[in-house]
Amino acid sequence: MNMSLTSNIFGQIDVTDPRRPTAEDITASVGEVYRDLAARDDLRPGPEVDGLFDRLVRLVLTAPAETVPAVLNDVEIQHLAPRLRALCALGEGELEHAWANRIVAGRPPREELARFPYFGNYRQLSRMEIGILASALPRRVRSVAFVGSGPLPLSSLYLAGELDASVDNFDRDAAALRAGERVATALGYGELGFHEADVLAADLSGYDVVVLAALVGDTLEAKRRILRHLADTMRPGAVLLARSARGLRTLLYPPIDRTALDGFEPLTEVHPVNDVINSAILARAGG
């Protein structure tokens, strides 16, 4: 989700259970969560929805490493994985819209933001990304395009503040974009740009860094098409920071295949082993 799904989003992981689940246990549980989510009329935040996503995140983050290949190779999991990711995307959208409204209506908004239980996770992911950007760029970043900013653009706000850079947000969902702009204004970031555009039609040639949110492109082929377009249109030397996922985290977010980075010079990849879900892939255009 634009936010990084973590154990802290809906609850804490219980690591005290001495029984290690098998691949069959995990496969059965993921299937059960999927069916419960799919059966709901909507995925707006609430105790039942929160509980289902909490369970899913626990499964993803606590599965023993030796079970992961068998789970991902299971025929049922391969069948439901795209649908499960779609449900996660819908749930994230509902969650972000709900909190965008709360923050804008908050008096003052920053106090409401402080109640957002996983703002620290946004910050943790953004710090990781700023760190790898600093290691790859010889000069200060002056301009950032954040593609897929959504209704709660906390990552782009954090990047703007920490990098002291001009940040433009792009999203093809007009309602999400308007919500994001209201949040930015309420929190004192009125200078950020917001542009309704599909990434395949946006002109991103003038930016030092292009950040590609995890939910931009919901299939491997869609990711490949977007990355091919960016390779052809980004300014040579500009840097792409693409959010991806690895292992069972790919049940929550679509991964990026390294072969999709043709036209880029791969720089680094970071795959968190803590409660951050998204990986970060850094590549230079014109490679």
Side-chain angles (χ1 to χ4, degrees), residues 28-62:
S29 295
V30 169
E32 183 178 335
V33 172
Y34 164 75
R35 288 186 289 274
D36 287 344
L37 288 171
R40 296 193 59 82
D41 292 332
D42 67 68
L43 294 175
R44 287 176 291 183
E48 292 185 11
V49 171
D50 293 356
L52 287 170
F53 281 117
D54 175 35
R55 186 180 176 195
L56 179 60
V57 171
R58 290 170 187 248
L59 289 167
V60 166
L61 292 180
T62 62

PDB file of all heavy atoms in Angstrom, residues 28-62:
ATOM      1  N   ALA A  28      -3.040 -22.524   3.587  1.00  0.00           N
ATOM      2  CA  ALA A  28      -4.440 -22.607   3.991  1.00  0.00           C
ATOM      3  C   ALA A  28      -4.914 -21.304   4.628  1.00  0.00           C
ATOM      4  O   ALA A  28      -6.023 -20.829   4.363  1.00  0.00           O
ATOM      5  CB  ALA A  28      -4.634 -23.774   4.956  1.00  0.00           C
ATOM      6  N   SER A  29      -4.064 -20.694   5.457  1.00  0.00           N
ATOM      7  CA  SER A  29      -4.449 -19.455   6.133  1.00  0.00           C
ATOM      8  C   SER A  29      -4.570 -18.300   5.162  1.00  0.00           C
ATOM      9  O   SER A  29      -5.497 -17.482   5.257  1.00  0.00           O
ATOM     10  CB  SER A  29      -3.427 -19.129   7.225  1.00  0.00           C
ATOM     11  OG  SER A  29      -3.441 -20.101   8.249  1.00  0.00           O
ATOM     12  N   VAL A  30      -3.645 -18.197   4.213  1.00  0.00           N
ATOM     13  CA  VAL A  30      -3.733 -17.134   3.217  1.00  0.00           C
ATOM     14  C   VAL A  30      -5.013 -17.277   2.398  1.00  0.00           C
ATOM     15  O   VAL A  30      -5.719 -16.296   2.129  1.00  0.00           O
ATOM     16  CB  VAL A  30      -2.493 -17.146   2.290  1.00  0.00           C
ATOM     17  CG1 VAL A  30      -2.703 -16.210   1.093  1.00  0.00           C
ATOM     18  CG2 VAL A  30      -1.253 -16.719   3.064  1.00  0.00           C
ATOM     19  N   GLY A  31      -5.332 -18.508   2.012  1.00  0.00           N
ATOM     20  CA  GLY A  31      -6.561 -18.740   1.266  1.00  0.00           C
ATOM     21  C   GLY A  31      -7.796 -18.352   2.055  1.00  0.00           C
ATOM     22  O   GLY A  31      -8.745 -17.761   1.505  1.00  0.00           O
ATOM     23  N   GLU A  32      -7.789 -18.641   3.338  1.00  0.00           N
ATOM     24  CA  GLU A  32      -8.932 -18.291   4.183  1.00  0.00           C
ATOM     25  C   GLU A  32      -9.087 -16.781   4.299  1.00  0.00           C
ATOM     26  O   GLU A  32     -10.204 -16.246   4.193  1.00  0.00           O
ATOM     27  CB  GLU A  32      -8.755 -18.915   5.572  1.00  0.00           C
ATOM     28  CG  GLU A  32      -9.922 -18.683   6.504  1.00  0.00           C
ATOM     29  CD  GLU A  32      -9.728 -19.367   7.850  1.00  0.00           C
ATOM     30  OE1 GLU A  32      -8.968 -20.360   7.903  1.00  0.00           O
ATOM     31  OE2 GLU A  32     -10.335 -18.910   8.837  1.00  0.00           O
ATOM     32  N   VAL A  33      -7.978 -16.065   4.512  1.00  0.00           N
ATOM     33  CA  VAL A  33      -8.042 -14.602   4.601  1.00  0.00           C
ATOM     34  C   VAL A  33      -8.535 -14.011   3.283  1.00  0.00           C
ATOM     35  O   VAL A  33      -9.380 -13.107   3.270  1.00  0.00           O
ATOM     36  CB  VAL A  33      -6.670 -14.016   4.970  1.00  0.00           C
ATOM     37  CG1 VAL A  33      -6.681 -12.489   4.861  1.00  0.00           C
ATOM     38  CG2 VAL A  33      -6.272 -14.437   6.381  1.00  0.00           C
ATOM     39  N   TYR A  34      -8.014 -14.524   2.187  1.00  0.00           N
ATOM     40  CA  TYR A  34      -8.455 -14.034   0.887  1.00  0.00           C
ATOM     41  C   TYR A  34      -9.963 -14.189   0.720  1.00  0.00           C
ATOM     42  O   TYR A  34     -10.663 -13.256   0.302  1.00  0.00           O
ATOM     43  CB  TYR A  34      -7.729 -14.762  -0.237  1.00  0.00           C
ATOM     44  CG  TYR A  34      -8.407 -14.587  -1.566  1.00  0.00           C
ATOM     45  CD1 TYR A  34      -8.306 -13.387  -2.270  1.00  0.00           C
ATOM     46  CD2 TYR A  34      -9.195 -15.607  -2.112  1.00  0.00           C
ATOM     47  CE1 TYR A  34      -8.970 -13.207  -3.477  1.00  0.00           C
ATOM     48  CE2 TYR A  34      -9.846 -15.436  -3.317  1.00  0.00           C
ATOM     49  CZ  TYR A  34      -9.731 -14.233  -3.993  1.00  0.00           C
ATOM     50  OH  TYR A  34     -10.393 -14.057  -5.177  1.00  0.00           O
ATOM     51  N   ARG A  35     -10.491 -15.364   1.037  1.00  0.00           N
ATOM     52  CA  ARG A  35     -11.926 -15.600   0.857  1.00  0.00           C
ATOM     53  C   ARG A  35     -12.757 -14.691   1.762  1.00  0.00           C
ATOM     54  O   ARG A  35     -13.813 -14.188   1.352  1.00  0.00           O
ATOM     55  CB  ARG A  35     -12.239 -17.075   1.106  1.00  0.00           C
ATOM     56  CG  ARG A  35     -11.729 -17.991  -0.014  1.00  0.00           C
ATOM     57  CD  ARG A  35     -12.177 -19.423   0.187  1.00  0.00           C
ATOM     58  NE  ARG A  35     -11.484 -20.058   1.303  1.00  0.00           N
ATOM     59  CZ  ARG A  35     -10.315 -20.665   1.204  1.00  0.00           C
ATOM     60  NH1 ARG A  35      -9.670 -20.699   0.051  1.00  0.00           N
ATOM     61  NH2 ARG A  35      -9.749 -21.240   2.255  1.00  0.00           N
ATOM     62  N   ASP A  36     -12.278 -14.440   2.978  1.00  0.00           N
ATOM     63  CA  ASP A  36     -13.004 -13.551   3.885  1.00  0.00           C
ATOM     64  C   ASP A  36     -12.998 -12.113   3.370  1.00  0.00           C
ATOM     65  O   ASP A  36     -14.013 -11.406   3.450  1.00  0.00           O
ATOM     66  CB  ASP A  36     -12.398 -13.611   5.288  1.00  0.00           C
ATOM     67  CG  ASP A  36     -12.715 -14.921   6.003  1.00  0.00           C
ATOM     68  OD1 ASP A  36     -13.625 -15.638   5.550  1.00  0.00           O
ATOM     69  OD2 ASP A  36     -12.037 -15.229   7.009  1.00  0.00           O
ATOM     70  N   LEU A  37     -11.861 -11.661   2.850  1.00  0.00           N
ATOM     71  CA  LEU A  37     -11.800 -10.310   2.292  1.00  0.00           C
ATOM     72  C   LEU A  37     -12.670 -10.186   1.053  1.00  0.00           C
ATOM     73  O   LEU A  37     -13.402  -9.198   0.876  1.00  0.00           O
ATOM     74  CB  LEU A  37     -10.347  -9.951   1.955  1.00  0.00           C
ATOM     75  CG  LEU A  37      -9.411  -9.675   3.124  1.00  0.00           C
ATOM     76  CD1 LEU A  37      -7.970  -9.557   2.625  1.00  0.00           C
ATOM     77  CD2 LEU A  37      -9.814  -8.385   3.854  1.00  0.00           C
ATOM     78  N   ALA A  38     -12.592 -11.180   0.179  1.00  0.00           N
ATOM     79  CA  ALA A  38     -13.345 -11.131  -1.072  1.00  0.00           C
ATOM     80  C   ALA A  38     -14.845 -11.165  -0.830  1.00  0.00           C
ATOM     81  O   ALA A  38     -15.620 -10.665  -1.663  1.00  0.00           O
ATOM     82  CB  ALA A  38     -12.926 -12.287  -1.973  1.00  0.00           C
ATOM     83  N   ALA A  39     -15.276 -11.727   0.276  1.00  0.00           N
ATOM     84  CA  ALA A  39     -16.696 -11.842   0.563  1.00  0.00           C
ATOM     85  C   ALA A  39     -17.301 -10.562   1.122  1.00  0.00           C
ATOM     86  O   ALA A  39     -18.527 -10.442   1.202  1.00  0.00           O
ATOM     87  CB  ALA A  39     -16.937 -12.995   1.546  1.00  0.00           C
ATOM     88  N   ARG A  40     -16.477  -9.591   1.471  1.00  0.00           N
ATOM     89  CA  ARG A  40     -16.976  -8.367   2.086  1.00  0.00           C
ATOM     90  C   ARG A  40     -17.524  -7.413   1.031  1.00  0.00           C
ATOM     91  O   ARG A  40     -17.045  -7.347  -0.098  1.00  0.00           O
ATOM     92  CB  ARG A  40     -15.877  -7.686   2.895  1.00  0.00           C
ATOM     93  CG  ARG A  40     -15.394  -8.513   4.088  1.00  0.00           C
ATOM     94  CD  ARG A  40     -14.554  -7.662   5.016  1.00  0.00           C
ATOM     95  NE  ARG A  40     -15.305  -6.522   5.507  1.00  0.00           N
ATOM     96  CZ  ARG A  40     -16.153  -6.557   6.529  1.00  0.00           C
ATOM     97  NH1 ARG A  40     -16.366  -7.678   7.181  1.00  0.00           N
ATOM     98  NH2 ARG A  40     -16.795  -5.463   6.908  1.00  0.00           N
ATOM     99  N   ASP A  41     -18.531  -6.629   1.440  1.00  0.00           N
ATOM    100  CA  ASP A  41     -19.114  -5.642   0.540  1.00  0.00           C
ATOM    101  C   ASP A  41     -18.181  -4.460   0.308  1.00  0.00           C
ATOM    102  O   ASP A  41     -18.206  -3.838  -0.757  1.00  0.00           O
ATOM    103  CB  ASP A  41     -20.445  -5.127   1.098  1.00  0.00           C
ATOM    104  CG  ASP A  41     -21.521  -6.208   1.103  1.00  0.00           C
ATOM    105  OD1 ASP A  41     -21.442  -7.110   0.243  1.00  0.00           O
ATOM    106  OD2 ASP A  41     -22.419  -6.153   1.967  1.00  0.00           O
ATOM    107  N   ASP A  42     -17.406  -4.109   1.313  1.00  0.00           N
ATOM    108  CA  ASP A  42     -16.427  -3.038   1.161  1.00  0.00           C
ATOM    109  C   ASP A  42     -15.276  -3.297   2.111  1.00  0.00           C
ATOM    110  O   ASP A  42     -15.359  -4.152   2.992  1.00  0.00           O
ATOM    111  CB  ASP A  42     -17.044  -1.654   1.412  1.00  0.00           C
ATOM    112  CG  ASP A  42     -17.463  -1.446   2.866  1.00  0.00           C
ATOM    113  OD1 ASP A  42     -16.567  -1.373   3.737  1.00  0.00           O
ATOM    114  OD2 ASP A  42     -18.672  -1.354   3.142  1.00  0.00           O
ATOM    115  N   LEU A  43     -14.176  -2.555   1.913  1.00  0.00           N
ATOM    116  CA  LEU A  43     -12.963  -2.749   2.712  1.00  0.00           C
ATOM    117  C   LEU A  43     -12.592  -1.489   3.485  1.00  0.00           C
ATOM    118  O   LEU A  43     -11.423  -1.227   3.742  1.00  0.00           O
ATOM    119  CB  LEU A  43     -11.812  -3.185   1.798  1.00  0.00           C
ATOM    120  CG  LEU A  43     -11.990  -4.558   1.148  1.00  0.00           C
ATOM    121  CD1 LEU A  43     -10.853  -4.840   0.164  1.00  0.00           C
ATOM    122  CD2 LEU A  43     -12.070  -5.662   2.195  1.00  0.00           C
ATOM    123  N   ARG A  44     -13.617  -0.724   3.860  1.00  0.00           N
ATOM    124  CA  ARG A  44     -13.341   0.442   4.685  1.00  0.00           C
ATOM    125  C   ARG A  44     -12.812   0.010   6.051  1.00  0.00           C
ATOM    126  O   ARG A  44     -13.165  -1.060   6.548  1.00  0.00           O
ATOM    127  CB  ARG A  44     -14.610   1.285   4.845  1.00  0.00           C
ATOM    128  CG  ARG A  44     -14.985   2.057   3.591  1.00  0.00           C
ATOM    129  CD  ARG A  44     -16.284   2.799   3.755  1.00  0.00           C
ATOM    130  NE  ARG A  44     -17.415   1.876   3.824  1.00  0.00           N
ATOM    131  CZ  ARG A  44     -18.684   2.263   3.910  1.00  0.00           C
ATOM    132  NH1 ARG A  44     -18.979   3.559   3.961  1.00  0.00           N
ATOM    133  NH2 ARG A  44     -19.650   1.362   3.963  1.00  0.00           N
ATOM    134  N   PRO A  45     -11.964   0.846   6.673  1.00  0.00           N
ATOM    135  CA  PRO A  45     -11.374   0.459   7.955  1.00  0.00           C
ATOM    136  C   PRO A  45     -12.437   0.165   9.006  1.00  0.00           C
ATOM    137  O   PRO A  45     -13.480   0.819   9.069  1.00  0.00           O
ATOM    138  CB  PRO A  45     -10.538   1.690   8.347  1.00  0.00           C
ATOM    139  CG  PRO A  45     -10.305   2.415   7.077  1.00  0.00           C
ATOM    140  CD  PRO A  45     -11.493   2.161   6.208  1.00  0.00           C
ATOM    141  N   GLY A  46     -12.182  -0.809   9.807  1.00  0.00           N
ATOM    142  CA  GLY A  46     -13.063  -1.215  10.890  1.00  0.00           C
ATOM    143  C   GLY A  46     -12.490  -2.452  11.540  1.00  0.00           C
ATOM    144  O   GLY A  46     -11.541  -3.056  11.027  1.00  0.00           O
ATOM    145  N   PRO A  47     -13.048  -2.864  12.667  1.00  0.00           N
ATOM    146  CA  PRO A  47     -12.453  -3.985  13.400  1.00  0.00           C
ATOM    147  C   PRO A  47     -12.290  -5.252  12.570  1.00  0.00           C
ATOM    148  O   PRO A  47     -11.243  -5.902  12.634  1.00  0.00           O
ATOM    149  CB  PRO A  47     -13.446  -4.195  14.558  1.00  0.00           C
ATOM    150  CG  PRO A  47     -14.079  -2.859  14.756  1.00  0.00           C
ATOM    151  CD  PRO A  47     -14.179  -2.249  13.390  1.00  0.00           C
ATOM    152  N   GLU A  48     -13.299  -5.624  11.773  1.00  0.00           N
ATOM    153  CA  GLU A  48     -13.199  -6.875  11.024  1.00  0.00           C
ATOM    154  C   GLU A  48     -12.192  -6.769   9.885  1.00  0.00           C
ATOM    155  O   GLU A  48     -11.361  -7.667   9.692  1.00  0.00           O
ATOM    156  CB  GLU A  48     -14.584  -7.267  10.488  1.00  0.00           C
ATOM    157  CG  GLU A  48     -15.564  -7.671  11.583  1.00  0.00           C
ATOM    158  CD  GLU A  48     -16.877  -8.178  11.019  1.00  0.00           C
ATOM    159  OE1 GLU A  48     -16.959  -8.410   9.796  1.00  0.00           O
ATOM    160  OE2 GLU A  48     -17.826  -8.340  11.807  1.00  0.00           O
ATOM    161  N   VAL A  49     -12.272  -5.688   9.131  1.00  0.00           N
ATOM    162  CA  VAL A  49     -11.321  -5.499   8.025  1.00  0.00           C
ATOM    163  C   VAL A  49      -9.907  -5.379   8.572  1.00  0.00           C
ATOM    164  O   VAL A  49      -8.968  -6.001   8.050  1.00  0.00           O
ATOM    165  CB  VAL A  49     -11.699  -4.257   7.194  1.00  0.00           C
ATOM    166  CG1 VAL A  49     -10.592  -3.921   6.191  1.00  0.00           C
ATOM    167  CG2 VAL A  49     -13.014  -4.502   6.455  1.00  0.00           C
ATOM    168  N   ASP A  50      -9.738  -4.574   9.605  1.00  0.00           N
ATOM    169  CA  ASP A  50      -8.413  -4.415  10.203  1.00  0.00           C
ATOM    170  C   ASP A  50      -7.871  -5.757  10.681  1.00  0.00           C
ATOM    171  O   ASP A  50      -6.685  -6.061  10.512  1.00  0.00           O
ATOM    172  CB  ASP A  50      -8.476  -3.451  11.385  1.00  0.00           C
ATOM    173  CG  ASP A  50      -8.806  -2.030  10.967  1.00  0.00           C
ATOM    174  OD1 ASP A  50      -8.905  -1.768   9.749  1.00  0.00           O
ATOM    175  OD2 ASP A  50      -8.988  -1.177  11.862  1.00  0.00           O
ATOM    176  N   GLY A  51      -8.741  -6.573  11.267  1.00  0.00           N
ATOM    177  CA  GLY A  51      -8.305  -7.864  11.768  1.00  0.00           C
ATOM    178  C   GLY A  51      -7.853  -8.798  10.653  1.00  0.00           C
ATOM    179  O   GLY A  51      -6.872  -9.540  10.812  1.00  0.00           O
ATOM    180  N   LEU A  52      -8.554  -8.752   9.517  1.00  0.00           N
ATOM    181  CA  LEU A  52      -8.172  -9.610   8.397  1.00  0.00           C
ATOM    182  C   LEU A  52      -6.828  -9.196   7.819  1.00  0.00           C
ATOM    183  O   LEU A  52      -5.965 -10.043   7.540  1.00  0.00           O
ATOM    184  CB  LEU A  52      -9.255  -9.568   7.319  1.00  0.00           C
ATOM    185  CG  LEU A  52     -10.550 -10.312   7.659  1.00  0.00           C
ATOM    186  CD1 LEU A  52     -11.641  -9.999   6.640  1.00  0.00           C
ATOM    187  CD2 LEU A  52     -10.301 -11.819   7.714  1.00  0.00           C
ATOM    188  N   PHE A  53      -6.629  -7.900   7.640  1.00  0.00           N
ATOM    189  CA  PHE A  53      -5.335  -7.451   7.127  1.00  0.00           C
ATOM    190  C   PHE A  53      -4.226  -7.697   8.145  1.00  0.00           C
ATOM    191  O   PHE A  53      -3.088  -8.009   7.766  1.00  0.00           O
ATOM    192  CB  PHE A  53      -5.393  -5.980   6.727  1.00  0.00           C
ATOM    193  CG  PHE A  53      -6.044  -5.748   5.397  1.00  0.00           C
ATOM    194  CD1 PHE A  53      -7.207  -5.010   5.292  1.00  0.00           C
ATOM    195  CD2 PHE A  53      -5.490  -6.272   4.234  1.00  0.00           C
ATOM    196  CE1 PHE A  53      -7.809  -4.803   4.063  1.00  0.00           C
ATOM    197  CE2 PHE A  53      -6.081  -6.073   3.010  1.00  0.00           C
ATOM    198  CZ  PHE A  53      -7.251  -5.335   2.912  1.00  0.00           C
ATOM    199  N   ASP A  54      -4.550  -7.567   9.404  1.00  0.00           N
ATOM    200  CA  ASP A  54      -3.566  -7.869  10.450  1.00  0.00           C
ATOM    201  C   ASP A  54      -3.114  -9.319  10.323  1.00  0.00           C
ATOM    202  O   ASP A  54      -1.917  -9.617  10.348  1.00  0.00           O
ATOM    203  CB  ASP A  54      -4.205  -7.630  11.815  1.00  0.00           C
ATOM    204  CG  ASP A  54      -3.299  -8.034  12.970  1.00  0.00           C
ATOM    205  OD1 ASP A  54      -2.075  -7.859  12.835  1.00  0.00           O
ATOM    206  OD2 ASP A  54      -3.813  -8.508  13.998  1.00  0.00           O
ATOM    207  N   ARG A  55      -4.063 -10.214  10.156  1.00  0.00           N
ATOM    208  CA  ARG A  55      -3.726 -11.627  10.036  1.00  0.00           C
ATOM    209  C   ARG A  55      -2.871 -11.882   8.799  1.00  0.00           C
ATOM    210  O   ARG A  55      -1.896 -12.649   8.845  1.00  0.00           O
ATOM    211  CB  ARG A  55      -5.005 -12.461   9.980  1.00  0.00           C
ATOM    212  CG  ARG A  55      -4.748 -13.956   9.991  1.00  0.00           C
ATOM    213  CD  ARG A  55      -6.045 -14.738   9.935  1.00  0.00           C
ATOM    214  NE  ARG A  55      -5.781 -16.168   9.841  1.00  0.00           N
ATOM    215  CZ  ARG A  55      -6.694 -17.067   9.498  1.00  0.00           C
ATOM    216  NH1 ARG A  55      -7.933 -16.683   9.225  1.00  0.00           N
ATOM    217  NH2 ARG A  55      -6.380 -18.350   9.436  1.00  0.00           N
ATOM    218  N   LEU A  56      -3.222 -11.255   7.694  1.00  0.00           N
ATOM    219  CA  LEU A  56      -2.460 -11.443   6.463  1.00  0.00           C
ATOM    220  C   LEU A  56      -1.021 -10.960   6.625  1.00  0.00           C
ATOM    221  O   LEU A  56      -0.072 -11.636   6.212  1.00  0.00           O
ATOM    222  CB  LEU A  56      -3.147 -10.689   5.318  1.00  0.00           C
ATOM    223  CG  LEU A  56      -2.467 -10.762   3.950  1.00  0.00           C
ATOM    224  CD1 LEU A  56      -2.376 -12.204   3.460  1.00  0.00           C
ATOM    225  CD2 LEU A  56      -3.233  -9.892   2.950  1.00  0.00           C
ATOM    226  N   VAL A  57      -0.855  -9.797   7.231  1.00  0.00           N
ATOM    227  CA  VAL A  57       0.492  -9.259   7.429  1.00  0.00           C
ATOM    228  C   VAL A  57       1.306 -10.147   8.350  1.00  0.00           C
ATOM    229  O   VAL A  57       2.491 -10.395   8.120  1.00  0.00           O
ATOM    230  CB  VAL A  57       0.420  -7.810   7.966  1.00  0.00           C
ATOM    231  CG1 VAL A  57       1.804  -7.322   8.380  1.00  0.00           C
ATOM    232  CG2 VAL A  57      -0.167  -6.886   6.914  1.00  0.00           C
ATOM    233  N   ARG A  58       0.677 -10.663   9.381  1.00  0.00           N
ATOM    234  CA  ARG A  58       1.382 -11.584  10.283  1.00  0.00           C
ATOM    235  C   ARG A  58       1.872 -12.811   9.524  1.00  0.00           C
ATOM    236  O   ARG A  58       2.996 -13.277   9.722  1.00  0.00           O
ATOM    237  CB  ARG A  58       0.456 -12.010  11.427  1.00  0.00           C
ATOM    238  CG  ARG A  58       0.140 -10.921  12.438  1.00  0.00           C
ATOM    239  CD  ARG A  58      -0.964 -11.402  13.372  1.00  0.00           C
ATOM    240  NE  ARG A  58      -1.409 -10.329  14.252  1.00  0.00           N
ATOM    241  CZ  ARG A  58      -1.218 -10.307  15.569  1.00  0.00           C
ATOM    242  NH1 ARG A  58      -0.556 -11.288  16.144  1.00  0.00           N
ATOM    243  NH2 ARG A  58      -1.650  -9.303  16.298  1.00  0.00           N
ATOM    244  N   LEU A  59       1.011 -13.353   8.678  1.00  0.00           N
ATOM    245  CA  LEU A  59       1.398 -14.525   7.890  1.00  0.00           C
ATOM    246  C   LEU A  59       2.609 -14.225   7.014  1.00  0.00           C
ATOM    247  O   LEU A  59       3.544 -15.020   6.917  1.00  0.00           O
ATOM    248  CB  LEU A  59       0.224 -14.972   7.018  1.00  0.00           C
ATOM    249  CG  LEU A  59      -0.958 -15.624   7.741  1.00  0.00           C
ATOM    250  CD1 LEU A  59      -2.159 -15.719   6.814  1.00  0.00           C
ATOM    251  CD2 LEU A  59      -0.567 -17.011   8.241  1.00  0.00           C
ATOM    252  N   VAL A  60       2.575 -13.067   6.362  1.00  0.00           N
ATOM    253  CA  VAL A  60       3.647 -12.703   5.441  1.00  0.00           C
ATOM    254  C   VAL A  60       4.964 -12.484   6.165  1.00  0.00           C
ATOM    255  O   VAL A  60       6.031 -12.908   5.706  1.00  0.00           O
ATOM    256  CB  VAL A  60       3.243 -11.437   4.646  1.00  0.00           C
ATOM    257  CG1 VAL A  60       4.436 -10.829   3.924  1.00  0.00           C
ATOM    258  CG2 VAL A  60       2.133 -11.779   3.650  1.00  0.00           C
ATOM    259  N   LEU A  61       4.904 -11.827   7.302  1.00  0.00           N
ATOM    260  CA  LEU A  61       6.137 -11.431   7.994  1.00  0.00           C
ATOM    261  C   LEU A  61       6.723 -12.520   8.887  1.00  0.00           C
ATOM    262  O   LEU A  61       7.914 -12.477   9.200  1.00  0.00           O
ATOM    263  CB  LEU A  61       5.890 -10.172   8.831  1.00  0.00           C
ATOM    264  CG  LEU A  61       5.612  -8.885   8.054  1.00  0.00           C
ATOM    265  CD1 LEU A  61       5.389  -7.727   9.019  1.00  0.00           C
ATOM    266  CD2 LEU A  61       6.750  -8.555   7.089  1.00  0.00           C
ATOM    267  N   THR A  62       5.922 -13.476   9.295  1.00  0.00           N
ATOM    268  CA  THR A  62       6.419 -14.456  10.261  1.00  0.00           C
ATOM    269  C   THR A  62       6.609 -15.846   9.664  1.00  0.00           C
ATOM    270  O   THR A  62       7.046 -16.751  10.369  1.00  0.00           O
ATOM    271  CB  THR A  62       5.459 -14.572  11.467  1.00  0.00           C
ATOM    272  OG1 THR A  62       4.182 -15.040  11.019  1.00  0.00           O
ATOM    273  CG2 THR A  62       5.305 -13.230  12.151  1.00  0.00           C
TER     274      THR A  62
END
